[in-house]
């Protein structure tokens, strides 16, 4: 199985949004300001298609964090932003009034932490709902074109698939769009599909 | 520190001792805790920075050692690590509670980044590695960078405010000076022309000196106003297509009197009919006047200032040539700077403010043109402007 059907995708989207909600709650709590997070769209595609789709958004170079995960399904997860957006986001989060040119070392780290919180929450919610055991790696900071970042992130062979989510960040009245990307190999996709199916059975949702 | 590996060790005792030495030599804290959050490994850096000995730390709960951190994000992340196997990074910027650690040398609080990672020893429940990096230096550096940037920004702001103030001051003062000066000139000319009664020759001469100087002051004020307009970007141009010949004819007509007063004359070389340029004629006549008055000022008495036009590719070159003392070598590079007058000793006598060429250059460049000169002292000095030809 190299694809998820529509029903599976819907269930997955719901699970991911539960994770986003949890992440938003812990970020709001941590930062003492209201943070909203949602992933209105989720798409499943090959890595090449993902690069094309992301390039079409015209976002230019991106930066963000990448962290591996391992368990019933394994791969690489990423939270990416257009570079100028990432500057804006970090400064909103850090309440920094005097921006310097580019991200400083400490700002890169802060962004890594934000990505870490979101990706952990999202993966955590998948693990919980689909009764999986999945652990995560430490985040690492990435910067470059979509292609650079995507290719560097996965030594999972050419036929790995990409789960692409657009995420909307709402911080203090500002809206910032970013992307969450999961890169999965074929074995992991069927692991994920099995988990989704198990969850649907538990809820009594019929498989199509 | 006796270091017990948390798994059925494949290491010999010697290798374990080596590992302990490695951990102890690391710059940064390494703590390993088991699934009950009890300390198993506590490296030397932790001991030095926290003041807690290995023997005190061993087997104690991490959050009993640091009760102030119970329930903190550090503990939440440790739980997330032990329960779900998630790794966490706690950055300095977003950290609310950190370990109470101080620098070994200076006893100052250590600014931290904390990494929390799961390890799964064979045959045991998940353990957790807590790694602490000292980023005090980076925090200090960024703080300094920020304050340097902020003072640079306020210095720039102050300079801009000062420039705006200066510019406002200049235009107010200049306008205030111009009005009374104009009326002084008017009154002077009424008196010296005998409108209010006959004037003796001596008085008449003095009145003329006064009038000439009032005129110089007025010219200075209008130059300063022009400079200010350029610098504040308020200079406006009204471009029109115009033939080069009519430009030069008007220029000669307008400056003939000045030439005569200096006992020199202008010689306008023949000009083709079909050369056109796109110019603001008043502004371009101002440039011509300046070049021609400069030339007339320096042309030896009885001499001829030559005006000529030549086509050079897509440009037309208008040249004003005199045969005066020219521009001294050491002064050539500063010709187009504000208030610069080649100190030939006679500048005061010849009058002028030293703004004419600066304004001329700004005007010519606003026409996409170039202004320049060649000078062979006492033989031939040429000031030229190149302007794009239009159809
Ligand atoms: N043809 C020339 N021969 C010799 N020196 C010149 C000539 N043209 C300009 N200069 C030198 O360059 C200086 C600057 O000229 P500029 O036209 O800018 O000012 P100015 O004539 O002194 O004053 P203003 O034109 O503002 O009344 C002159 O004072 C003079 O020293
Ligand atoms: Mg002059």
């Amino acid at each position: 199985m190299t694809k998820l059907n529509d029903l599976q995708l819907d269930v997955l989207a719901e699970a991911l949004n539960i994770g986003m909600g949890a992440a938003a709650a812990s970020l709001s709590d941590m930062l003492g300001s209201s943070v909203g997070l949602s992933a209105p769209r989720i798409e499943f595609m090959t890595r090449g298609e993902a690069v094309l789709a992301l390039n079409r958004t015209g976002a230019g170079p991106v930066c963000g964090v990448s962290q591996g995960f391992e368990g019933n399904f394994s791969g690489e997860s990423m939270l990416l932003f257009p570079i100028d957006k990432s500057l804006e986001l970090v400064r909103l989060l850090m309440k920094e009034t005097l921006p310097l040119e580019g991200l400083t070392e400490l700002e890169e780290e802060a962004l890594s932490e934000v990505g870490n919180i979101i990706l952990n929450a999202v993966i955590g919610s998948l693990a919980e709902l689909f009764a999986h055991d999945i652990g995560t790696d430490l985040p690492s900071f990435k910067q470059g074109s979509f292609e650079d970042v995507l290719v560097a992130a996965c030594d999972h062979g050419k036929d790995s698939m990409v789960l692409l989510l657009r995420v909307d960040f709402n911080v203090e009245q500002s809206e910032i769009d970013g992307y969450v990307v999961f890169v999965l190999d074929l074995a992991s996709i069927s692991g994920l599909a099995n988990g989704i199916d198990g969850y649907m059975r538990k809820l009594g949702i019929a498989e199509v | 520190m006796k270091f017990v590996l948390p798994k059925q060790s494949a290491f010999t005792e010697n290798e374990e001792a080596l590992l302990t030495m490695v951990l102890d030599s690391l710059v940064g804290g390494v703590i390993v805790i088991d699934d009950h959050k009890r300390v198993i490994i506590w490296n030397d850096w932790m001991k030095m920075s926290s003041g807690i000995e290995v023997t005190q730390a061993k087997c104690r709960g991490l959050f009993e050692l640091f009760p102030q951190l119970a329930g903190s994000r550090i503990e939440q992340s440790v739980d997330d690590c032990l329960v779900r196997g998630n790794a966490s990074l706690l950055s300095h910027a977003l950290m609310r509670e950190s370990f109470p650690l101080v620098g070994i040398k200076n006893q100052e609080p250590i600014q931290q980044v904390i990494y929390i990672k799961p390890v799964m020893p064979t045959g045991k429940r998940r353990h957790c590695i807590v790694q602490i990096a000292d980023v005090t230096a980076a925090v200090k550096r960024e703080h300094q960078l920020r304050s340097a940037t902020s003072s640079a920004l306020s210095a720039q702001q102050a300079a801009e405010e000062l420039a705006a103030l200066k510019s406002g001051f200049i235009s107010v003062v200049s306008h205030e000076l111009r009005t009374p000066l104009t009326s002084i000139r008017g009154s002077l000319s009424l008196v010296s022309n005998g409108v209010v009664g006959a004037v003796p020759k001596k008085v008449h001469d003095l009145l003329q000196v006064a009038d000439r100087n009032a005129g110089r002051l007025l010219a200075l004020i209008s130059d300063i106003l022009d400079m200010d307009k350029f610098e504040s970007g308020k200079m406006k141009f009204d471009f029109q297509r115009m033939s080069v010949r009519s430009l030069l004819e008007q220029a000669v007509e307008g400056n003939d009197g000045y030439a005569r007063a200096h006992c020199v004359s202008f010689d306008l070389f023949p000009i083709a009919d079909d050369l056109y340029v796109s110019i603001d004629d008043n502004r371009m006549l101002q440039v011509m006047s300046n070049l021609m008055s400069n030339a007339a000022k320096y042309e030896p008495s009885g001499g001829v200032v030559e005006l000529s036009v030549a086509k050079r590719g897509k440009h037309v070159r208008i040249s004003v040539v005199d045969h005066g003392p020219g521009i001294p070598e050491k002064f050539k590079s500063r010709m187009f700077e504000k208030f610069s007058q080649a100190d030939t000793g006679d500048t005061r006598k010849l009058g002028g403010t030293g703004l004419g060429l600066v304004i001329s250059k700004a005007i010519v460049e606003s026409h996409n043109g170039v202004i320049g000169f060649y000078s062979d002292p006492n033989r031939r000095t040429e000031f030229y402007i190149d302007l794009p030809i239009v159809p």
Side-chain angles (χ1 to χ4, degrees):
Chain A
M1 167 176 300
T2 55
K3 262 206 165 357
L4 298 180
N5 63 38
D6 285 351
L7 186 57
Q8 287 170 323
L9 273 180
D10 281 350
V11 173
L12 184 60
E14 208 177 296
L16 290 169
N17 270 304
I18 291 174
M20 294 283 175
S26 41
L27 283 177
S28 305
D29 186 44
M30 236 178 90
L31 304 167
S33 45
S34 88
V35 177
L37 264 178
S38 63
R41 253 166 84 86
I42 161 170
E43 285 170 293
F44 201 55
M45 55 185 86
T46 65
R47 214 168 40 182
E49 288 167 340
V51 170
L52 282 180
L54 288 170
N55 281 338
R56 259 202 307 278
T57 63
V62 289
C63 74
V65 286
S66 166
Q67 61 179 49
F69 54 95
E70 209 169 324
N72 298 45
F73 59 94
S74 309
E76 193 74 23
S77 59
M78 282 175 264
L79 175 70
L80 302 175
F81 297 97
I83 284 190
D84 49 331
K85 294 286 175 195
S86 70
L87 290 171
E88 194 182 333
L89 178 68
V90 177
R91 273 144 206 175
L92 278 171
L93 295 174
M94 289 173 74
K95 304 191 169 67
E96 187 52 70
T97 47
L98 179 71
L100 297 174
E101 218 169 288
L103 281 175
T104 67
E105 199 180 320
L106 297 179
E107 285 172 336
E108 279 182 13
E109 225 157 44
L111 191 67
S112 301
E113 175 169 10
V114 170
N116 178 237
I117 289 171
I118 293 171
L119 295 172
N120 275 357
V122 170
I123 290 170
S125 73
L126 295 186
E128 205 152 308
L129 294 179
F130 304 155
H132 278 328
D133 194 12
I134 309 165
T136 61
D137 253 346
L138 281 174
S140 60
F141 185 79
K142 292 277 147 58
Q143 190 164 331
S145 68
F146 276 124
E147 192 162 6
D148 293 342
V149 175
L150 272 187
V151 170
C154 37
D155 38 24
H156 296 281
K158 267 214 298 289
D159 43 27
S160 49
M161 295 289 286
V162 168
L163 205 58
L164 181 66
L165 288 78
R166 221 195 68 215
V167 274
D168 293 341
F169 251 95
N170 271 296
V171 188
E172 307 278 352
Q173 273 114 47
S174 296
E175 250 199 55
I176 295 172
D177 293 347
Y179 299 90
V180 166
V181 180
F182 289 93
V183 183
L184 302 162
D185 60 19
L186 294 184
S188 293
I189 294 165
S190 45
L192 176 63
N194 288 340
I196 297 174
D197 288 344
Y199 175 65
M200 288 196 293
R201 265 195 302 281
K202 210 167 68 194
L203 293 185
I205 304 173
E207 254 182 272
V208 199
Chain B
M1 148 183 162
K2 177 80 180 101
F3 165 50
V4 185
L5 274 180
K7 60 175 180 182
Q8 256 44 46
S9 178
F11 291 102
T12 66
E13 223 164 290
N14 269 344
E15 285 164 340
E16 283 192 20
L18 182 66
L19 273 183
T20 308
M21 278 160 60
V22 170
L23 280 176
D24 282 344
S25 67
L26 288 182
V27 182
V30 178
I31 308 169
V32 176
I33 52 180
D34 67 9
D35 52 332
H36 295 291
K37 300 189 231 176
R38 286 179 304 222
V39 174
I40 299 177
I41 290 174
W42 188 262
N43 77 344
D44 220 34
W45 189 92
M46 276 311 297
K47 178 185 99 180
M48 309 282 271
S49 315
S50 70
I52 301 174
E53 292 290 334
V54 186
T55 46
Q56 292 172 281
K58 265 289 181 54
C59 297
R60 292 273 306 280
L62 181 61
F63 298 97
E64 287 165 37
L65 288 171
F66 300 110
Q68 64 272 53
L69 296 181
S72 68
R73 207 169 108 63
I74 299 176
E75 184 166 28
Q76 290 167 14
S77 303
V78 164
D79 290 339
D80 194 38
C81 174
L82 291 173
V83 177
R84 291 185 208 85
N86 283 342
S88 294
L89 179 158
L90 279 61
S91 68
H92 170 265
L94 305 179
M95 195 175 308
R96 246 185 268 159
E97 308 94 347
S98 57
F99 286 100
L101 305 175
V102 291
I104 294 164
K105 285 191 200 118
N106 55 12
Q107 299 299 305
E108 303 256 336
I110 291 177
Q111 312 292 330
Q112 309 158 26
V113 174
I114 302 173
Y115 306 91
I116 295 173
K117 275 184 297 199
V119 261
M120 190 65 112
T122 344
K124 297 223 172 124
R125 307 274 307 261
R126 196 147 36 212
H127 284 27
C128 178
I129 307 177
V130 179
Q131 224 180 309
I132 301 160
D134 179 351
V135 291
T136 313
V139 171
K140 221 176 257 168
R141 214 167 37 237
E142 280 186 27
H143 184 77
Q144 280 166 353
L145 195 60
R146 280 225 155 71
S147 44
T149 310
S150 120
S151 41
L153 278 179
S154 37
Q156 189 189 337
Q157 216 173 344
E160 276 163 15
E161 277 166 16
L162 192 66
L165 196 69
K166 187 188 102 197
S167 164
F169 176 74
I170 286 175
S171 59
V172 168
V173 168
S174 307
H175 279 117
E176 294 298 317
L177 287 174
R178 196 144 63 165
T179 323
L181 255 179
T182 313
S183 91
I184 290 173
R185 268 198 110 180
S187 314
L188 282 174
S189 85
L190 286 179
V191 175
S192 70
N193 289 339
V195 177
V196 286
V199 189
K201 165 103 172 63
K202 265 195 169 159
V203 177
H204 181 82
D205 289 351
L206 282 174
L207 284 175
Q208 284 216 306
V209 172
D211 183 56
R212 219 176 25 249
N213 283 291
R216 278 173 64 175
L217 258 179
L218 265 174
L220 170 62
I221 290 168
S222 92
D223 276 359
I224 290 176
L225 276 172
D226 276 352
M227 264 331 290
D228 186 54
K229 270 195 205 147
F230 261 111
E231 287 178 347
S232 56
K234 286 191 200 122
M235 179 72 88
K236 297 272 180 296
F237 293 95
D238 177 19
F239 292 102
Q240 307 271 343
R241 180 171 176 271
M242 187 176 185
S243 84
V244 177
R245 178 197 277 194
S246 92
L247 172 72
L248 287 195
E249 283 170 358
Q250 284 185 43
V252 170
E253 203 183 305
N255 292 284
D256 228 22
Y258 189 88
R260 234 173 300 123
H262 283 79
C263 302
V264 300
S265 60
F266 291 121
D267 186 4
L268 181 55
F269 288 23
I271 302 168
D273 280 322
D274 57 347
L275 280 175
Y276 287 90
V277 283
S278 168
I279 53 174
D280 180 318
D281 55 352
N282 281 328
R283 289 297 176 190
M284 202 45 77
L285 281 171
Q286 184 183 348
V287 174
M288 289 310 302
S289 277
N290 184 41
L291 296 187
M292 290 162 75
S293 66
N294 286 350
K297 256 192 287 191
Y298 292 100
E299 177 69 31
S301 186
V304 176
V305 171
E306 299 156 14
L307 299 173
S308 61
V309 170
K311 206 175 149 186
R312 295 167 63 92
K314 291 181 173 154
H315 288 78
V316 57
R317 170 165 293 188
I318 301 170
S319 303
V320 181
V321 174
D322 69 72
H323 311 87
I327 319 295
E329 199 58 44
K330 69 172 199 298
F331 197 71
K332 281 185 175 167
S333 60
R334 286 191 287 140
M335 280 305 283
F336 295 100
E337 286 172 18
K338 265 193 254 182
F339 299 112
S340 58
Q341 289 187 325
D343 196 5
T344 46
D346 57 0
T347 45
R348 290 289 146 238
K349 196 175 72 203
L350 293 176
T353 61
L355 281 175
L357 284 176
V358 187
I359 294 170
S360 300
K361 183 169 158 45
I363 293 174
V364 169
E365 287 176 352
S366 299
H367 283 75
N368 294 319
V370 175
I371 187 168
F373 65 92
Y374 302 103
S375 182
D376 183 0
N378 291 317
R379 300 171 71 100
R380 186 177 186 279
T381 296
E382 169 181 351
F383 277 79
Y384 63 84
I385 52 181
D386 290 346
L387 293 172
I389 298 175
V390 297

